[in-house]
Amino acid sequence: MVRKILIAAATAALTVSCSAPEAVKNDLRAPAYPLVTIDPYTSAWSTTNRLYDSQVKHWTGRDFPLMGTLRVDGELYRFMGAEDIPMETLAAISYEQPWQGRYTFDAPREGWQARDFNDSAWKSGAAAFGSPEETNVQTLWPTKDIWVRRTIEIDPAQLNGGTLFVKYSHDDTFELYFNGQQIVATPYEWKKDRWVEIPAELAATAADGRIVLAAHCNNRTGGALVDVGLYRRDNNSQVMTRTAEQISADVQATSTTYEFACGGVNLTLRFTAPLLLEDLDLVSRPVNYITYEVASNDGQEHDVEIYFEASPDWARNGSEQKCVSERYDDARFNYVKSGTVEQKILGRKGDDVRIDWGYFYMAADKASSRSSVGNAVAMRREFADRGTVEGRSEGDRMAITSPLGSVSAKGTSGYVMVGYDDIYSIQYFGENIRPYWNRNGNSSIEEQFAAAAKQYKSLMKRCAAFDAQLMDEAYAAGGKQYAELCALAYRQAIAAHKLILTPQGELAWLSKENFSNGSIGTVDVTYPSAPMFLYYNPELAKALLNFIFYYTESGKWTKPFPAHDIGTYPLANGQTYGGDMPVEESGNMLILTGAICKIEGKADYATKHWDALTAWADYLVENGLDPANQLCTDDFAGHWARNANLSIKAIVGVAAYGDMARMAGKADVAEKYTNAARDMAAAWKKMAAAGDHYRLTFDEGDTWSQKYNLVWDKMLGYNVFDDDIAPAEIAYYLTKQNRYGLPLDCRRNYTKSDWIVWTATMSPDKATFEKFIAPMYDFMNETTDRVPMSDWYNTDSTTHVGFQARSVVGGYFIKMLSDRGIK
């Protein structure tokens, strides 16, 4: 069995009458625009203001080439993606061909980047340079810093008629120079197979054929890697150079819509992920839509054809992996597909990785489309000349073309479906598990596409209605900027999960800890993301907790507090994170279980897991008021014992247990733990008091931190903390905001966007709430780091620190949850 990705195009003209209300346009310039959002592997984004200014990218930043071009009266208008041209290798990166370089672990003298710098005293070693777990490391790098120089000699004639590119991989902070001039400077991050174009004036410094690539990398923590290569693009191979003119972009909860002018016609392009959380079959269905609507804009009729092209990169981790592409058909569609030769099901785990088992498909209605697999440049030229492509079957690029005929002002439309069949999604405690949509093993991806096509019109209406409703509800709760952030967060939060049915017959909604460590089912990622799922479908909130309960109740996890995670995505075989978070995860599990019981109005879910909850509550009673020095979710600036916000979480967790006991009819237990929580809260107030606010830790003088965990005390009706604490904190926080928001605490200027919204939710009124949201909105609107929304960013600059595309943005919905009430 193998994993499959599909794009099915239904190209017959459609008349989509959408009577559903339209959402108010989102004016946020997104850091990245969600396009295809199915799961952590099939997650594609546009990272530029205009859809055609760059390649479509996976959330990790790796190119996911998906190009679209409209042919109008014989003229081409590229509206999506960049026209990538196959590169000629001049000096390959190490996994393609070995290379030797000079390196040093000691800080070199000034001018080490220069082409003519004398590096003869440096050591010589084989690339790549790094730690053993990284790709193709040949020279171990055990220190914090490394400097590397690679000298390349080429025939100067190879520079004619082309553009030079450098391909590089790094882990962590990295700077790279081409003949002495800087071409790359990264923040603290780790990336593989990135490309940087060399400007013509800089390439001219290599007129004699000699190039020196000089790099410095600092490894703050974890893996280490440096690798570089030189390539050339033949500029004569470009066909689709003209672009459409983008008019607008609008992100709603389930859709992203672009408007373009393409000569004499206008094009509306809409990406829709029908992730309606009340319908788990829809949430799990691995199918998204791309709808196109074309209409004349000048009163004339125009002959129009549309072209979609995709790369095998959607089905492989790296470009070094060989793929095979082919085409086939069934009764309704023509298909093309591509996948790796190796096909190791569930054979890769980690953070900055993509799936490399299964097949990428595109399909189109037989009566109105042509499909082709072949050489990218040849297919583009054929479409430019003829408006179609032949049904060849050699090569690895996939294309579908559709003739739209003579288009008038009345217009015509069609849609493309994008999907991914992962066959086996997760390894769950040693057993390979299929996706929820195929939990019984009796469906196929073709059936999923057929169902998606059958429901297209109804789902477009339902999604439009949902988008409008979300905007209305979020606007009422927190204003326009808050509503726009929630719309952007919606698909990001969902697509960072995978839904399965466990062998025990329970739902598991498994998160991937994107760009923090790749863990699966991390409890302190579940906690911030939960408000969205509590708001829309408590069954999914339970599915965020079920596997942690199972891990404990099965005896596989034996400690008196919950695990941090259950593995490294997609292998959920037990905790792989190196440290425990005893107070953190105990509080998280108790609070969220308490919230579920409140929403359901009964304690059934809690009583099912009573022994585990009791053990965790007892742990917090004993250890939670004054926490020891231990890992917690906010220790970015270092571990501090006696953390006041962590103590709040413990106290609210104990109160949650007491309330669940009350709901379960355990009066004596309820009284005992509720009183314990009240006593702990009273002690907390005395220990944390610092005049007009409350401390970061109980023993650190005039310090402060966001006490966002306090939000649950009032939301859930526990009221164990005095009413004057939250107002005092809110007033104090307003004096500490920077240009882009409230720092996490007094130690650094960075913040967490999810916690800002939680903190803001404790505001006494909507106007105060919006004072916290406005700077955060400005950051997302102005950040220069074009990645799927980061939750960890600097409040004094337009850069993020780390993390992107994480599910924790589901925490933005806590204000809506609070306003609706769950007591």
Side-chain angles (χ1 to χ4, degrees):
M1 300 295 286
V2 287
R3 176 170 189 175
K4 307 175 182 179
I5 265 192
L6 293 100
I7 296 184
T11 56
L14 300 171
T15 303
V16 181
S17 175
C18 186
S19 58
E22 291 188 2
V24 175
K25 183 181 182 302
N26 191 335
D27 293 322
L28 175 66
R29 185 234 61 180
Y33 291 84
L35 304 180
V36 177
T37 48
I38 292 173
D39 63 19
Y41 287 134
T42 309
S43 178
W45 301 71
S46 172
T47 58
T48 47
N49 290 349
R50 300 183 300 189
L51 183 58
Y52 45 73
D53 278 346
S54 70
Q55 293 284 10
V56 172
K57 294 183 181 293
H58 187 258
W59 67 260
T60 58
R62 186 70 62 90
D63 288 348
F64 258 23
L66 180 63
M67 189 172 67
T69 298
L70 207 64
R71 186 174 185 265
V72 182
D73 298 329
E75 299 292 328
L76 301 183
Y77 299 88
R78 176 168 46 83
F79 57 82
M80 175 172 62
E83 185 181 13
D84 62 315
I85 305 297
M87 295 287 187
E88 174 191 355
T89 301
L90 302 180
I93 204 164
S94 72
Y95 64 72
E96 296 174 357
Q97 185 176 341
W99 63 270
Q100 293 280 129
R102 294 282 186 174
Y103 71 97
T104 181
F105 301 135
D106 301 319
R109 60 182 173 83
E110 186 177 350
W112 64 271
Q113 313 95 324
R115 188 172 87 149
D116 297 326
F117 177 81
N118 184 357
D119 59 20
S120 60
W122 292 20
K123 296 178 181 179
S124 178
F129 302 85
S131 53
E133 69 272 18
E134 296 284 5
T135 302
N136 197 48
V137 167
Q138 303 298 316
T139 299
L140 292 179
W141 157 27
T143 61
K144 285 293 183 184
D145 291 270
I146 191 171
W147 289 261
V148 176
R149 288 171 56 88
R150 181 180 187 183
T151 300
I152 299 167
E153 303 280 352
I154 62 173
D155 182 349
Q158 291 180 288
L159 300 175
N160 298 331
T163 300
L164 293 182
F165 286 79
V166 172
K167 186 179 185 178
Y168 62 95
S169 298
H170 69 95
D171 186 352
D172 299 310
T173 310
F174 183 69
E175 54 183 318
L176 179 62
Y177 299 81
F178 181 101
N179 280 352
Q181 295 190 40
Q182 190 171 73
I183 55 174
V184 174
T186 77
Y188 169 57
E189 62 183 22
W190 40 98
K191 306 285 187 180
K192 293 181 181 178
D193 293 345
R194 294 301 187 262
W195 294 93
V196 57
E197 181 176 341
I198 306 303
E201 59 272 19
L202 181 54
T205 66
D208 61 354
R210 185 169 183 269
I211 297 106
V212 174
L213 300 178
H216 168 228
C217 195
N218 172 265
N219 180 38
R220 183 187 298 185
T221 184
L225 181 65
V226 170
D227 201 357
V228 294
L230 183 68
Y231 301 78
R232 174 184 177 274
R233 183 183 69 193
D234 182 0
N235 293 336
N236 295 323
S237 296
Q238 292 183 279
V239 178
M240 298 174 172
T241 55
R242 177 189 293 168
T243 65
E245 178 186 350
Q246 185 172 306
I247 299 168
S248 66
D250 177 20
V251 177
Q252 299 294 326
T254 66
S255 64
T256 301
T257 302
Y258 292 91
E259 301 280 350
F260 303 95
C262 304
V265 302
N266 284 354
L267 167 67
T268 299
L269 193 73
R270 180 174 297 108
F271 298 84
T272 304
L275 298 170
L276 304 175
L277 292 176
E278 77 278 3
D279 187 335
L280 297 185
D281 286 318
L282 266 185
V283 170
S284 177
R285 181 184 291 165
V287 177
N288 281 192
Y289 304 93
I290 305 175
T291 299
Y292 50 88
E293 301 167 1
V294 183
S296 172
N297 60 27
D298 60 4
Q300 305 297 313
E301 292 192 357
H302 300 275
D303 290 328
V304 180
E305 299 89 16
I306 197 164
Y307 175 93
F308 290 97
E309 178 189 305
S311 160
D313 290 337
W314 284 68
R316 61 187 173 190
N317 179 61
S319 57
E320 75 279 6
Q321 294 178 288
K322 182 175 176 56
C323 286
V324 174
S325 301
E326 58 180 292
R327 54 192 294 267
Y328 72 96
D329 60 37
D330 63 15
R332 180 169 182 181
F333 295 111
N334 295 317
Y335 295 93
V336 290
K337 71 176 185 179
S338 183
T340 60
V341 172
E342 211 167 19
Q343 291 297 323
K344 289 188 176 180
I345 304 295
L346 294 169
R348 185 182 296 274
K349 65 178 181 177
D351 195 352
D352 187 5
V353 298
R354 289 135 300 277
I355 196 164
D356 55 4
W357 60 90
Y359 294 88
F360 177 81
Y361 288 68
M362 293 197 294
D365 185 272
K366 278 184 169 181
S368 55
S369 304
R370 299 290 295 271
S371 61
S372 180
V373 173
N375 175 273
V377 175
M379 291 193 299
R380 294 166 193 169
R381 285 176 173 161
E382 184 175 0
F383 179 71
D385 292 341
R386 302 175 56 236
T388 188
V389 289
E390 290 293 337
R392 60 174 65 84
S393 58
E394 294 182 0
D396 68 358
R397 285 298 176 105
M398 295 149 284
I400 286 180
T401 58
S402 298
L404 305 185
S406 184
V407 176
S408 66
K410 184 178 179 180
T412 189
S413 63
Y415 65 93
V416 171
M417 296 186 291
V418 180
Y420 213 124
D421 177 4
D422 59 0
I423 308 300
Y424 288 100
S425 304
I426 300 293
Q427 188 173 95
Y428 189 77
F429 295 102
E431 183 174 346
N432 291 353
I433 306 296
R434 297 181 186 274
Y436 182 80
W437 64 264
N438 197 20
R439 55 197 176 276
N440 298 318
N442 58 358
S443 188
S444 69
I445 192 64
E446 289 84 0
E447 290 177 356
Q448 294 298 308
F449 274 91
K454 183 177 180 180
Q455 292 181 297
Y456 173 76
K457 290 185 180 180
S458 64
L459 284 177
M460 292 303 105
K461 292 180 182 180
R462 288 174 63 188
C463 287
F466 176 80
D467 291 348
Q469 181 182 3
L470 183 148
M471 281 294 238
D472 287 347
E473 292 176 358
Y475 184 93
K480 185 175 187 296
Q481 291 180 330
Y482 172 67
E484 293 180 352
L485 289 168
C486 286
L488 179 59
Y490 186 82
R491 276 174 285 164
Q492 176 173 320
I494 297 171
H497 293 86
K498 193 71 182 183
L499 184 64
I500 64 169
L501 191 69
T502 71
Q504 294 73 40
E506 293 187 318
L507 292 173
W509 187 222
L510 292 157
S511 65
K512 179 175 181 181
E513 196 171 337
N514 291 345
F515 267 17
S516 39
N517 64 18
S519 290
I520 186 170
T522 303
V523 178
D524 53 288
V525 168
T526 287
Y527 179 66
S529 68
M532 189 173 87
F533 305 111
L534 288 166
Y535 189 80
Y536 287 113
N537 188 348
E539 291 303 315
L540 284 174
K542 293 178 188 177
L544 290 167
L545 310 184
N546 288 339
F547 48 86
I548 296 295
F549 282 122
Y550 170 74
Y551 194 16
T552 289
E553 293 161 353
S554 66
K556 301 176 189 298
W557 177 262
T558 59
K559 297 180 182 181
F561 46 80
H564 168 271
D565 61 80
I566 59 168
T568 300
Y569 198 94
L571 306 183
N573 295 322
Q575 179 171 311
T576 53
Y577 191 63
D580 296 327
M581 296 186 178
V583 172
E584 184 82 47
E585 312 302 22
S586 296
N588 291 340
M589 291 296 292
L590 285 159
I591 291 169
L592 295 182
T593 305
I596 289 167
C597 292
K598 282 284 194 181
I599 290 171
E600 293 190 328
K602 56 185 179 181
D604 291 7
Y605 186 66
T607 56
K608 181 179 179 181
H609 304 293
W610 197 252
D611 288 348
L613 292 169
T614 301
W616 300 337
D618 287 342
Y619 184 89
L620 293 182
V621 169
E622 183 176 349
N623 301 283
L625 173 60
D626 196 354
N629 190 355
Q630 62 187 265
L631 285 169
C632 76
T633 196
D634 293 338
D635 53 17
F636 305 105
H639 305 167
W640 275 17
R642 314 194 71 191
N643 185 307
N645 187 48
L646 183 59
S647 177
I648 292 173
K649 179 177 287 186
I651 296 166
V652 177
V654 173
Y657 181 78
D659 190 63
M660 288 184 283
R662 177 192 60 79
M663 297 176 71
K666 302 175 186 289
D668 292 345
V669 175
E671 182 178 9
K672 174 184 174 182
Y673 286 88
T674 301
N675 287 340
R678 287 173 179 158
D679 291 344
M680 293 167 76
W684 182 95
K685 186 175 184 181
K686 294 177 182 178
M687 295 162 66
D692 60 349
H693 67 284
Y694 296 87
R695 296 186 180 99
L696 165 62
T697 68
F698 295 135
D699 58 350
E700 289 293 336
D702 189 21
T703 57
W704 66 271
S705 66
Q706 292 189 43
K707 308 300 190 303
Y708 56 82
N709 286 316
L710 192 60
V711 70
W712 293 105
D713 186 44
K714 294 295 182 290
M715 278 181 59
L716 297 176
Y718 301 151
N719 299 314
V720 297
F721 284 90
D722 285 351
D723 289 340
D724 59 349
I725 295 175
E729 285 288 278
I730 291 295
Y732 187 80
Y733 298 153
L734 289 171
T735 70
K736 296 297 181 181
Q737 293 210 103
N738 290 330
R739 170 67 183 89
Y740 293 113
L742 179 67
L744 186 61
D745 59 45
C746 58
R747 293 177 291 178
R748 298 286 191 276
N749 280 324
Y750 51 60
T751 193
K752 291 283 273 78
S753 63
D754 45 350
W755 301 148
I756 284 182
V757 182
W758 287 36
T759 293
T761 298
M762 296 187 291
S763 298
D765 51 52
K766 183 178 175 181
T768 304
F769 174 85
E770 291 182 274
K771 289 179 181 179
F772 290 101
I773 298 303
M776 173 181 149
Y777 178 95
D778 287 345
F779 176 82
M780 301 303 174
N781 197 54
E782 299 171 13
T783 178
T784 52
D785 292 339
R786 304 306 297 272
V787 298
M789 197 158 40
S790 172
D791 55 287
W792 184 19
Y793 70 87
N794 294 303
T795 62
D796 57 350
S797 75
T798 57
T799 60
H800 79 298
V801 182
F803 302 166
Q804 62 198 52
R806 300 208 312 161
S807 64
V808 301
V809 296
Y812 295 2
F813 288 77
I814 198 166
K815 182 61 164 63
M816 296 165 67
L817 185 66
S818 178
D819 281 12
R820 186 172 69 185
I822 56 176
K823 298 179 183 179

